Amino acid sequence: MEKFVIQGGKKLKGEIITSGAKNSVLPILAASIMSNKKSIIHNIPVLQDVKTMVKILEYLGAKVSFKNHTVEIDPSGINRYDAPYEFVKTMRASIALLGPMVARSGKAQFSLPGGCVIGPRPIDLHIKGLQRLGVDVKIEDGYVIADAKKGLKGNHVFLGGTFGSSVLATANVMCAAVLAKGTTIIEFAACEPEVSDLANFLVKMGAKITGIGSPCITIKGVKKLDGVEYSVIPDRIEAGTFVLAGAITGGNVCVKKCQPFHMGAFIERITETGVSVETGKNFISIKGIREWKSVDVVTLAYPGFPTDLQAQMMAFLSLADGVSVITEKVFPERFIHAGELNRLGANIQLDGPRAIVRGVKKLLGARVMASDLRASAALVLAGLAADGTTEVSRIYHLFRGYENFDKKLNQLGADIKKEKDTIQ
Ligand code: UD1
């Protein structure tokens, strides 16, 4: 295993280019199997999760090439409809294949994703949505077994759950509805830009979808889809992480090729801390300051503040002047990074789904352990701002979702070295 060794205290400055959105790429690659024709998808980030998805697609029988940030996929040879535990355990998002697989083959057999460090990850909404389209779904030996014996049939599907909308349940039901007979209305659909990106990809393939980006999506079923060429949107979570990396070091950073329009809630909160933010059509530029103010943050489904930036924001607020309250409304247990940030000298107290972050004057380098993808990013940001050396173990989590994270930060003036780790 590898670790990052970070010499903190360097102000970041310069420009950085945003990669393609991980959370778009995974469902889009999955949806490409709904045609029998070849698709070419551009702006694909080189990430462990993308490599895992490519492996699953190859396992299913597709021909895939992944070069120069482009994936070419020929799904015509697909002859399997299962995703075993070995794949699903490393990447929960493999569930994004459930809808496309049922649409393509009329059946699917998927290992259940189970819980993870950010809390329970139920799939009741995925199951309920598919059942409304006429799919028989049962759970056996840790597998979801879906069978659309009588074909897929459009219906009215209400997809709201205890914690609101679901990104991948919306993706799955939308995909299945595209090749169903008749019209489907998804009420309480997730509005995340990545769901819209998937919908736009499907429309290019020949799907009939209206209400894209709204909580009520209407899909008129079509008989078949074409192969297409498509480019995915920039990763708003990566862009936000780099904005925070600049801000936490008091540096000046311009994040290019991003879409600030997708980042309203985040930009609003950062601006309230006193950091100077300038945005254009596809860039965000920040001028860091020495002392920033505390702000309260509530994570919500889009267009609310994204849960995927909560950990990084917590790292930033741990150095703010005053007390910030962070309320996690999407994954209420997603706070495992708080304890590790405290090891660096932060003062964070947990109270159920809330974290009380009392700003401290400085953080001090220490050894910390990454627990999940975004928590890892938060620890790296804290390490950039801390005095002395911070060692972050288990950085393999980071490479699931950030392309060249250390290289990009070093390009901005950070001092991060990747070294062999003795901790397993
Ligand atoms: C996606 C993102 C992930 C992000 C999350 C929330 C991808 C590949 N991953 O994950 O990065 O953190 O959205 O923005 O796009 N829920 C249920 N029942 C279900 C499904 C979800 O109760 O059947 C709950 C979840 O436990 C959670 C909330 O709904 O509390 C939102 O989860 P969801 O939007 O489904 O997350 P994912 O789509 O798995």
Side-chain angles (χ1 to χ4, degrees):
M1 275 211 232
E2 290 175 310
K3 64 179 173 189
F4 277 162
V5 179
I6 306 166
Q7 302 303 333
K10 311 262 187 293
K11 272 191 185 182
L12 301 194
K13 58 173 198 279
E15 293 177 356
I16 206 78
I17 303 283
T18 317
S19 298
K22 168 179 90 76
N23 289 353
S24 278
V25 170
L26 299 175
I28 284 177
L29 285 177
S32 67
I33 70 165
M34 289 165 59
S35 165
N36 252 336
K37 304 259 180 68
K38 183 166 145 184
S39 283
I40 301 174
I41 303 154
H42 301 291
N43 202 25
I44 307 264
V46 182
L47 303 173
Q48 195 49 47
D49 274 6
V50 176
K51 291 179 190 165
T52 305
M53 181 57 92
V54 166
K55 259 196 217 154
I56 305 178
L57 293 168
E58 286 174 337
Y59 167 84
L60 295 172
K63 270 200 198 123
V64 191
S65 108
F66 181 13
K67 273 188 252 161
N68 303 327
H69 296 96
T70 293
V71 166
E72 290 193 26
I73 168 162
D74 174 0
S76 58
I78 289 183
N79 54 7
R80 303 188 67 108
Y81 51 89
D82 62 312
Y85 182 64
E86 294 79 82
F87 294 126
V88 178
K89 75 168 189 231
T90 60
M91 189 183 69
R92 232 152 282 279
S94 35
I95 195 75
L97 273 155
L98 184 60
M101 189 49 91
V102 173
R104 180 190 172 94
S105 312
K107 45 192 175 182
Q109 197 170 322
F110 273 73
S111 173
L112 276 171
C116 68
V117 291
I118 71 171
R121 303 290 290 262
I123 58 160
D124 55 305
L125 295 171
H126 302 243
I127 295 176
K128 180 180 127 182
L130 291 177
Q131 282 172 336
R132 294 285 297 163
L133 300 184
V135 185
D136 274 341
V137 188
K138 56 182 178 183
I139 310 258
E140 259 177 36
D141 297 332
Y143 275 76
V144 193
I145 301 171
D147 199 339
K149 274 191 202 87
K150 295 184 192 141
L152 289 160
K153 211 161 159 251
N155 204 344
H156 191 122
V157 184
F158 180 83
L159 267 189
T162 320
F163 295 100
S165 55
S166 161
V167 172
L168 290 179
T170 304
N172 268 327
V173 176
M174 182 163 70
C175 284
V178 160
L179 289 179
K181 234 187 212 163
T183 299
T184 298
I185 295 173
I186 305 180
E187 205 185 328
F188 220 132
C191 303
E192 270 69 4
E194 295 78 17
V195 175
S196 303
D197 206 22
L198 168 66
N200 290 329
F201 172 71
L202 290 165
V203 166
K204 204 164 180 197
M205 291 175 96
K208 294 208 164 101
I209 308 174
T210 53
I212 295 172
S214 83
C216 186
I217 302 178
T218 303
I219 303 133
K220 282 194 178 140
V222 296
K223 288 222 161 74
K224 62 176 184 168
L225 296 174
D226 239 334
V228 290
E229 194 162 352
Y230 191 80
S231 189
V232 301
I233 58 170
D235 197 311
R236 63 195 166 103
I237 306 302
E238 190 205 21
T241 304
F242 279 108
V243 164
L244 287 167
I248 202 170
T249 63
N252 298 340
V253 168
C254 181
V255 180
K256 296 187 129 181
K257 285 202 181 167
C258 62
Q259 285 196 13
F261 184 65
H262 292 159
M263 301 171 67
F266 169 74
I267 291 170
E268 192 72 16
R269 289 289 92 80
I270 281 286
T271 307
E272 281 172 17
T273 67
V275 171
S276 144
V277 184
E278 189 197 338
T279 59
K281 194 168 165 250
N282 48 19
F283 75 86
I284 303 178
S285 185
I286 61 122
K287 281 201 180 85
I289 46 177
R290 258 165 183 258
E291 274 193 5
W292 50 93
K293 288 181 274 186
S294 56
V295 287
D296 291 345
V297 175
V298 181
T299 67
L300 288 168
Y302 188 82
F305 191 97
T307 173
D308 287 351
L309 278 173
Q310 179 257 108
Q312 303 89 312
M313 189 70 176
M314 186 185 283
F316 177 62
L317 292 176
S318 70
L319 283 165
D321 181 20
V323 181
S324 310
V325 179
I326 300 180
T327 309
E328 176 60 64
K329 292 229 172 179
V330 182
F331 294 110
E333 295 171 30
R334 190 178 201 173
F335 283 133
I336 212 155
H337 43 277
E340 294 300 291
L341 289 171
N342 284 345
R343 286 173 57 75
L344 296 171
N347 181 354
I348 303 162
Q349 202 183 337
L350 296 182
D351 176 20
R354 259 182 304 276
I356 320 294
V357 185
R358 294 189 171 84
V360 294
K361 288 270 177 261
K362 62 178 180 180
L363 298 175
L364 287 173
R367 290 188 78 156
V368 287
M369 184 88 78
S371 54
D372 77 62
L373 167 55
R374 307 303 170 185
S376 318
L379 295 178
V380 173
L381 298 200
L384 291 176
D387 283 359
T389 309
T390 297
E391 292 190 12
V392 185
S393 294
R394 300 204 173 149
I395 50 165
Y396 59 88
H397 290 292
L398 264 174
F399 297 107
R400 285 191 35 232
Y402 290 96
E403 181 175 349
N404 290 331
F405 195 53
D406 47 335
K407 283 195 193 130
K408 283 188 176 182
L409 288 169
N410 284 342
Q411 211 178 302
L412 294 172
D415 181 350
I416 305 177
K417 290 193 180 68
K418 211 192 282 171
E419 292 182 6
K420 275 227 150 57
D421 198 358
T422 46
I423 294 177
Q424 291 302 307

